[in-house]
Amino acid sequence: MIFSEPIVNSFTWLNSFTVGLQSPLIATTTEAEYAPIVLTGVLLSLVVIYLASKIGGELSRMIDLPPVLGELIGGVVVGASALHLVVFPDSGAAGSDSIIMTILQFINNLTPDAVTSIFQTQSEVVSVLAELGVIILLFEIGLESDLKELQKVGYQATIVACVGVAVPFAAGTAGLILLFHAPVIPAIFAGAALTATSIGITSKVLSEIGQLKSREGQIIVGAAVIDDILGIIVLAVVASLAKTGEVDIFNVIYLIVSATVFLIGSILLGKYFNQSFVAIANKLQTRGNLIIPAFIFAFFMAFLGNAIHLEAILGAFAAGLVLDETDKRKELDEQVKPIADILVPIFFVTVGAKVDLGVLNPLVPGNREGLIIATFLMVVAIIGKVVTGWSIFGQAGINRLAVGVGMIPRGEVGLVFAGIGAASGTLNKPLQAAIVIMVILTTFVAPPLLRFAFKQSPEEKESLEEANVIG
């Protein structure tokens, strides 16, 4: 799993550090000396991250855009592209590049070697928090993905979702390999980043314009949910491919089958698990009687996903789908949100912070290819989803353009791909920046385009209503 190595390294350090505090015979002098400074660096980093998240989210909301977009841009501002407050060694930064490390060095009169050691450890701790954030994010998305609603929209939403995954994935991957001569694994990863659809962004806009319950709205939402499921499976496959560094067709088949069986099997077994989960939650009397068992289940499913060589996030997503069917779903939703509010912004801000937009500066000749790639990804991202509207058949008077446009925004799921690709080292800086730019732009353009697509003259509206009655 992509996250496993940094998480293991970080928790190994945390474990040894804790043991070191308890046993001076085991702890080195360096660990004991730097421990308070590492904690100071982590706390200061969290202050910056939360400020960037909140300011960015509020400004984004003020101009009627999704807060997650503001969190991403806030991360870009405080990260490697601008202020250099939150930077990471896996992005090529050194301790001397971090403003926070400069502050700590000034306060504590640190040597350059000490700064390097503290910077490495502090970055690992923040990365672990971000990785926990993405696991909780996928758990939350699973909780919000109503399987019963999927059954109502039926095969039309399934067709739209499959086309919306296959077309941009194939076009993006093939284009990067044939036109830009990108290596196969990074090209597959970038193509996979084009597959997802942000159900949160689309649902919000549909609700605002009163089209959430329309035929188009139901198909869009249903297809977006299926898109997320297919996207997570694709992510599990390409992330596992990235570990081996080669495309093994038998391994691909194994991963697809195992991911599908794992997800469907989890949902089917969930029907039997749900009653036991509710019974256990009802018997527990201490604080956290619902949320703690839920996270035990989510983290255990994440562990299983990792154990069978998939992604931990697939297990967390499956856990969310299972618990969505329990009688405690609404109560659980409310209890998960505050925890997600604490950890998920760390993930989005760090994704933005790791992006170096300087690689897209057109004044630097070497960057121009990255800009062309970003433009290519943007075109594929839009066209690859718009065509899904024309995959619908047997629906008289359906607004095909609205369905296609509703599938455009990538939002938080696209950022998950970018974050995992960057953490694994699969994506180079230009390709990572190009993906993030694609996510930002599709998220920007989708709401106004969706409003435009649903605009109809009274005559068009009347003819559509008549078609609905006849249909």
Side-chain angles (χ1 to χ4, degrees):
M1 145 137 189
I2 295 302
F3 283 128
S4 58
E5 187 173 342
I7 287 181
V8 170
N9 291 341
S10 300
F11 279 120
T12 300
W13 174 86
L14 288 172
N15 183 54
S16 62
F17 171 65
T18 304
V19 173
L21 288 180
Q22 295 172 346
S23 176
L25 295 176
I26 298 176
T28 65
T29 304
T30 303
E31 286 176 337
E33 182 182 357
Y34 294 160
I37 305 175
V38 170
L39 177 60
T40 303
V42 171
L43 293 175
L44 193 53
S45 297
L46 290 176
V47 169
V48 172
I49 288 171
Y50 285 132
L51 279 174
S53 166
K54 211 66 199 141
I55 294 172
E58 292 297 327
L59 290 176
S60 184
R61 184 178 178 83
M62 286 172 60
I63 56 177
D64 201 26
L65 288 171
V68 65
L69 183 60
E71 293 178 356
L72 173 66
I73 296 174
V76 172
V77 171
V78 301
S81 296
L83 299 181
H84 293 270
L85 287 164
V86 181
V87 293
F88 296 87
D90 57 4
S91 299
S96 57
D97 298 322
S98 169
I99 300 299
I100 288 180
M101 286 298 105
T102 301
I103 294 172
L104 294 181
Q105 184 177 25
F106 175 77
I107 294 174
N108 298 282
N109 194 26
L110 300 172
T111 65
D113 288 343
V115 169
T116 300
S117 176
I118 292 169
F119 175 60
Q120 182 73 32
T121 306
Q122 172 236 315
S123 299
E124 287 178 352
V125 175
V126 174
S127 295
V128 168
L129 294 174
E131 290 155 4
L132 287 174
V134 73
I135 289 174
I136 291 174
L137 170 65
L138 269 295
F139 178 53
E140 187 179 32
I141 290 175
L143 284 172
E144 294 174 354
S145 302
D146 195 333
L147 292 175
K148 293 179 181 177
E149 289 300 317
L150 287 180
Q151 295 173 358
K152 294 180 182 178
V153 294
Y155 66 95
Q156 294 290 1
T158 303
I159 293 172
V160 170
C162 291
V163 172
V165 168
V167 172
F169 177 68
T173 302
L176 288 170
I177 293 173
L178 298 176
L179 299 178
F180 302 99
H181 308 291
V184 175
I185 297 297
I188 291 175
F189 220 112
L194 297 170
T195 61
T197 297
S198 174
I199 184 173
I201 295 169
T202 299
S203 298
K204 178 179 180 293
V205 178
L206 288 172
S207 178
E208 288 174 350
I209 62 179
Q211 295 287 348
L212 189 59
K213 300 299 181 183
S214 66
R215 281 189 304 167
E216 293 86 354
Q218 287 295 298
I219 291 174
I220 291 170
V221 171
V225 173
I226 298 171
D227 246 14
D228 279 352
I229 295 174
L230 294 176
I232 296 305
I233 293 176
V234 170
L235 176 59
V237 172
V238 298
S240 296
L241 289 177
K243 287 192 297 187
T244 63
E246 59 184 12
V247 180
D248 183 342
I249 187 64
F250 295 105
N251 190 41
V252 171
I253 294 172
Y254 162 76
L255 289 170
I256 293 174
V257 172
S258 60
T260 305
V261 170
F262 177 71
L263 197 58
I264 295 176
S266 299
I267 295 169
L268 293 177
L269 291 175
K271 294 181 179 180
Y272 302 98
F273 172 77
N274 287 340
Q275 293 180 351
S276 300
F277 176 81
V278 172
I280 292 172
N282 287 334
K283 288 182 179 179
L284 297 176
Q285 300 298 317
T286 55
R287 183 176 176 178
N289 63 311
L290 178 61
I291 193 65
I292 296 300
F295 273 119
I296 290 173
F297 178 59
F299 291 149
F300 179 72
M301 291 292 287
F303 158 76
L304 287 181
N306 188 31
I308 61 174
H309 306 294
L310 296 173
E311 286 295 297
I313 56 174
L314 181 63
F317 182 74
L321 287 176
V322 170
L323 295 183
D324 174 66
E325 298 296 302
T326 68
D327 296 334
K328 298 281 188 178
R329 181 257 175 118
K330 291 185 178 179
E331 187 179 350
L332 185 58
D333 264 344
E334 293 302 314
Q335 293 189 24
V336 168
K337 284 179 181 178
I339 300 172
D341 289 342
I342 293 172
L343 289 174
V344 174
I346 302 176
F347 169 72
F348 286 128
V349 172
T350 54
V351 168
K354 291 179 180 180
V355 172
D356 184 4
L357 296 184
V359 299
L360 297 179
N361 182 359
L363 299 178
V364 179
N367 292 345
R368 288 167 191 165
E369 184 180 3
L371 277 172
I372 297 173
I373 292 175
T375 304
F376 168 75
L377 291 181
M378 185 64 187
V379 171
V380 173
I382 293 177
I383 296 178
K385 293 294 186 180
V386 170
V387 297
T388 61
W390 279 264
S391 66
I392 299 173
F393 57 90
Q395 295 282 333
I398 196 77
N399 189 335
R400 300 177 188 277
L401 178 62
V403 172
V405 169
M407 301 294 291
I408 288 177
R410 295 327 195 262
E412 62 280 356
V413 183
L415 295 182
V416 172
F417 279 83
I420 293 178
S424 68
T426 303
L427 300 175
N428 58 27
K429 286 186 176 181
L431 197 51
Q432 181 197 356
I435 291 174
V436 172
I437 290 296
M438 178 272 296
V439 171
I440 292 174
L441 292 180
T442 55
T443 306
F444 263 113
V445 303
L449 284 180
L450 193 56
R451 290 186 178 96
F452 171 79
F454 271 110
K455 280 186 178 178
Q456 299 165 348
S457 65
E459 292 80 9
E460 289 174 319
K461 201 168 186 178
E462 184 177 347
S463 64
L464 180 58
E465 289 174 354
E466 289 176 358
N468 289 341
V469 172
I470 295 173

